[in-house]
C-alpha cells in the first residue's frame, strides 16, 4: 500500500469536492492511503509537493484545483507556472498526477471535475499511479 498526498488549491469548493471525490476513489479502490493538504492557490501546489517530498512520507501525489480565465493576464501566469512547477518535479522522478483544471469558464470546469462526466480528478490519480509504477520499475 502506497501513501498518496492530494494537494488541492481550494478556491472553488464545489469543483474541488468533485475532483477530490474522483481522485480519492481511484486511489482508495487501488488499496492506497490518501491524505489531503489544502494550499491557498495553484501556484503553491508545486512548493507544497516539494516540501512533502522532503518529508519522505509519501510515495505519490495528485495536484488538484481549478484555474478559470478571468479578465486579466493572471490566468496565463497561474495556469502556466503551476504546470511548469509540477512538470519540473516530475522530471526529478516524483510521481505526480496533474489535475489542475484550466478552463475558459465555470461550465467547462464543472464538466471536467464531475465524476459522472470527464472525471479529471480520477484521471490525475490514475496518472500518479502509473508514474509510481514506472518509478518502481526503474529504481
Amino acid at each position: 500500500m502506497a501513501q498518496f498526498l492530494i494537494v488541492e488549491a481550494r478556491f472553488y469548493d464545489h469543483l474541488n469536492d468533485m475532483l477530490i471525490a474522483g481522485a480519492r476513489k481511484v486511489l482508495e479502490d487501488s488499496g492506497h492511503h490518501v491524505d489531503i493538504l489544502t494550499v491557498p492557490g495553484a501556484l503553491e501546489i508545486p512548493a507544497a509537493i516539494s516540501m512533502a517530498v522532503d518529508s519522505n512520507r509519501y510515495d505519490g501525489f495528485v495536484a488538484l484545483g481549478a484555474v478559470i480565465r478571468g479578465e486579466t493576464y493572471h490566468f496565463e501566469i497561474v495556469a502556466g507556472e503551476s504546470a511548469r512547477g509540477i512538470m519540473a518535479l516530475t522530471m526529478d522522478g516524483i510521481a505526480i498526477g496533474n489535475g489542475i483544471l484550466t478552463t475558459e469558464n465555470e461550465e467547462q470546469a464543472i464538466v471536467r471535475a464531475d465524476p459522472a462526466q470527464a472525471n479529471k480528478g480520477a484521471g490525475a490519480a490514475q496518472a500518479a499511479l502509473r508514474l509510481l509504477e514506472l518509478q518502481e520499475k526503474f529504481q
Side-chain angles (χ1 to χ4, degrees):
M1 169 166 58
Q3 299 283 115
F4 279 86
L5 180 64
I6 294 173
V7 181
E8 62 143 351
R10 182 155 290 262
F11 194 81
Y12 301 98
D13 289 340
H14 62 298
L15 297 173
N16 280 50
D17 289 344
M18 290 188 283
L19 288 166
I20 289 170
R24 176 174 258 167
K25 181 170 180 19
V26 166
L27 296 171
E28 290 178 349
D29 286 357
S30 298
H32 303 294
H33 178 76
V34 177
D35 288 334
I36 298 174
L37 176 68
T38 301
V39 297
L43 288 174
E44 289 76 35
I45 290 175
I49 291 173
S50 179
M51 291 175 203
V53 166
D54 290 343
S55 77
N56 292 316
R57 292 180 9 199
Y58 298 100
D59 304 298
F61 303 87
V62 179
L64 299 177
V67 183
I68 299 174
R69 185 177 299 279
E71 297 177 3
T72 69
Y73 185 70
H74 187 66
F75 171 86
E76 283 82 5
I77 293 169
V78 174
E81 292 302 312
S82 62
R84 186 194 60 75
I86 291 169
M87 182 57 67
L89 292 168
T90 61
M91 296 301 289
D92 286 339
I94 300 166
I96 305 171
N98 185 352
I100 300 174
L101 306 178
T102 53
T103 64
E104 294 293 323
N105 55 54
E106 186 174 352
E107 293 76 26
Q108 290 176 347
I110 289 170
V111 169
R112 287 160 177 75
D114 188 350
Q117 296 184 59
N119 202 7
K120 295 297 185 180
Q126 290 163 343
L129 286 170
R130 180 65 180 129
L131 287 171
L132 183 59
E133 289 172 8
L134 289 173
Q135 184 184 63
E136 292 169 352
K137 177 180 180 176
F138 293 118
Q139 285 185 354

